[in-house]
Amino acid sequence: MLVMKFGGSSVESSSAIERVAGIVRTRAKQPIVVVVSAIGKTTNRLLDIAHEAVAGNRQGALVKLDDLRAHHFDIADHFGATDLIDGPFAELAELVRGLAVLGELTPRSLDAIAAYGERLSSVIVAKAMNAVHADARDYIVTDERHTQAAPLYAQTYARLKHLPPTPITVMGGFIGSTEAGVTSTLGRGGSDFTASIVGAGLHATEIQIWTDVDGMLTADPRVFPGGHRVKSISFAEAAELAYFGAKVLHPSTVLPAMDGGIPVLILNSRRPEVAGTRIVKDSVPCRNAVKSIACKTNITLVNITSTRMLMAHGFLRRIFEIFDRFETPVDMLATSEVSVSLTIDTSAHVPDIVKELESFAEVTVEAGQTIVCLVGENIRHTPGVASRVFAALEPINVRMISQGASLLNLSVVVAAADLPKAVESLHAEFFRELDPEVFES
Ligand code: ASP
């Protein structure tokens, strides 16, 4: 059993859907469950329509709905599936009119609207593949936290056992229903989560997440284009990379798969011949110290110094209490007896935070910083990594360093202007030779 998930851009047109159907056919030696996202940007468009309707612009909302309908009909027509989406679009128009009358948008009605994206895409894709359609709402059971619902695993896994035993089954991602049968959604980007839940529930041999990138790379492609593909990576490393800006996959979505010991593959639907990146539960033996270099831009560095705090306790508590009050998460941290440097990636409350900190400390703020993060399980037991980092960064002013907390990353803060050079030098240092078991150049 294989689970294959295709995102919105992989099903954005009839030719994209044909390409997907072709990919699925080549893997059909075993039973497959295909999980699809809404077509293109449909979810955004549906939410926009809902907001427009409750804001009182009924006509505007209906015009936008007509556009969305035309787009879906174009695609459905290609596969002889228009009769399958007539009904849902009629219901949607009713719903939009109802929202305009009510003038109120509850999380539950947001879910009702948003769910149409995957309801529509899944019936079209099922028809295009000549496959059986399964309504995800009959299988994915969730709690009642609409727009952010959590799956109820025991019920969901029990229901998945009754999925039709067909060679290819297509279901929508992202959507489910509560125990009472009310439509719910798993949160934005939730289709990966659906794939992971279905794979775990059915004990799949593998879960394939088809995207529009070749997988995870040794460096952030937006900053350094010369990276190599990482063939396999541990879940802990992948999660660390995701946090530091690699937008390929949200780590929490692959948890059910990892708990079930099922590998998750990232693949490119535009280049299906590329073997992608395999995410596995345990660490992957590797001769390189580092697996990948991630970057997080738009970081603000806050330096806080107070000599009054020498030998006094409670300094850190006072600082963090302020960041907490302004709901501002702190990322990296370095401390000495009388000073603390920390980074934040939301600067909305910086003026308020600084004002409060200045009641007991001197504060400087440096915007426009970046975090460069080396990720790899080997960092913890390879001597000399730090000296190689500093040698590579020789001409660059390093503002802050951190290693330790997760044991699998070493992070430095540099000014945004230094970022390209820093990543290029680090990449040259740590990927001069590649372990062929782990990387594909
Ligand atoms: N269509 C949903 C969204 O745009 C879920 C997904 O694509 O994963 O958030």
Side-chain angles (χ1 to χ4, degrees):
M1 230 289 303
L2 192 62
V3 175
M4 302 174 76
K5 180 262 171 177
F6 295 91
S9 63
S10 301
V11 293
E12 69 188 355
S13 62
S14 51
S15 56
I17 293 175
E18 268 170 357
R19 187 162 47 220
V20 163
I23 294 172
V24 172
R25 264 196 302 275
T26 62
R27 325 249 157 171
K29 285 172 274 313
Q30 51 186 323
I32 297 176
V33 177
V34 175
V35 174
V36 288
S37 287
I39 287 172
K41 299 261 173 266
T42 299
T43 311
N44 288 348
R45 292 170 72 178
L46 286 167
L47 295 175
D48 177 46
I49 289 166
H51 284 110
E52 186 121 10
V54 293
N57 189 0
R58 175 173 175 274
Q59 213 34 48
L62 289 171
V63 168
K64 286 184 176 172
L65 184 59
D66 269 346
D67 283 349
L68 192 65
R69 185 175 188 277
H71 184 51
H72 278 74
F73 267 75
D74 252 3
I75 297 172
D77 193 29
H78 191 82
F79 301 109
T82 51
D83 54 325
L84 298 174
I85 63 171
D86 254 330
F89 269 105
E91 289 166 29
L92 254 175
E94 280 299 301
L95 210 54
V96 168
R97 287 193 196 95
L99 287 177
V101 173
L102 283 172
E104 185 192 33
L105 197 54
T106 61
R108 180 173 160 162
S109 39
L110 269 175
D111 273 356
I113 291 253
Y116 277 92
E118 273 72 7
R119 289 174 60 186
L120 292 161
S121 65
S122 58
V123 292
I124 296 172
V125 171
K127 180 80 201 245
M129 289 180 184
N130 238 327
V132 170
H133 176 255
D135 190 330
R137 296 172 301 165
D138 296 335
Y139 299 94
I140 309 294
V141 189
T142 74
D143 64 15
E144 290 171 1
R145 286 177 31 226
H146 286 284
T147 73
Q148 276 299 335
L152 302 177
Y153 286 101
Q155 286 96 314
T156 299
Y157 290 165
R159 288 208 197 171
L160 281 168
K161 291 207 173 79
H162 300 111
L163 206 65
T166 43
I168 303 175
T169 308
V170 179
M171 71 157 80
F174 174 60
I175 62 178
S177 62
T178 65
E179 284 179 290
V182 179
T183 298
S184 56
T185 68
L186 300 170
R188 293 306 306 272
S191 296
D192 292 346
F193 199 15
T194 305
S196 172
I197 295 164
V198 172
L202 298 175
H203 306 288
T205 44
E206 191 172 284
I207 297 164
Q208 302 180 346
I209 308 283
W210 290 83
T211 60
D212 48 16
V213 295
D214 285 348
M216 300 199 172
L217 303 176
T218 50
D220 187 329
R222 292 165 304 180
V223 179
F224 178 72
H228 312 291
R229 180 166 56 85
V230 183
K231 292 200 279 190
S232 52
I233 194 162
S234 72
F235 171 66
E237 290 169 328
E240 200 84 4
L241 284 174
Y243 171 70
F244 281 101
K247 295 243 159 37
V248 180
L249 194 71
H250 195 289
S252 63
T253 63
V254 296
L255 268 179
M258 293 302 123
D259 284 344
I262 301 164
V264 173
L265 259 86
I266 312 289
L267 295 154
N268 189 348
S269 64
R270 282 161 218 283
R271 299 187 347 125
E273 66 285 1
V274 178
T277 297
R278 175 180 287 265
I279 304 172
V280 292
K281 188 172 180 184
D282 299 316
S283 50
V284 181
C286 178
R287 290 211 299 271
N288 289 64
V290 173
K291 288 264 171 60
S292 181
I293 303 171
C295 311
K296 212 171 176 194
T297 52
N298 282 326
I299 296 293
T300 302
L301 182 59
V302 184
N303 302 300
I304 305 153
T305 306
S306 174
T307 40
R308 276 196 285 152
M309 289 301 151
L310 187 65
M311 312 297 280
H313 58 81
F315 185 35
L316 288 175
R317 185 193 57 71
R318 279 180 81 173
I319 291 172
F320 286 126
E321 191 270 325
I322 294 169
F323 282 87
D324 179 34
R325 197 141 28 82
F326 290 101
E327 295 177 3
T328 300
V330 171
D331 293 334
M332 262 172 79
L333 179 72
T335 68
S336 75
E337 177 65 36
V338 294
S339 61
V340 175
S341 295
L342 49 82
T343 67
I344 53 180
D345 71 357
T346 46
S347 50
H349 296 293
V350 165
D352 298 319
I353 291 172
V354 168
K355 202 165 146 218
E356 298 228 0
L357 289 170
E358 278 176 343
S359 69
F360 61 92
E362 280 166 34
V363 185
T364 60
V365 174
E366 297 168 62
Q369 305 293 308
T370 59
I371 298 178
V372 182
C373 175
L374 305 180
V375 173
E377 312 244 12
N378 282 349
I379 291 176
R380 74 178 87 171
H381 26 66
T382 309
V385 173
S387 73
R388 290 170 68 190
V389 169
F390 290 118
L393 295 177
E394 233 300 90
I396 292 169
N397 185 19
V398 176
R399 302 290 300 108
M400 195 170 151
I401 312 151
S402 149
Q403 191 204 346
S406 76
L407 294 175
L408 46 82
N409 93 49
L410 191 156
S411 304
V412 295
V413 174
V414 300
D418 292 328
L419 179 67
K421 181 80 196 119
V423 174
E424 191 193 327
S425 307
L426 288 168
H427 195 272
E429 172 61 32
F430 286 97
F431 298 104
R432 190 170 298 132
E433 278 168 36
L434 299 175
D435 182 339
E437 294 292 315
V438 181
F439 304 99
E440 175 85 43
S441 105

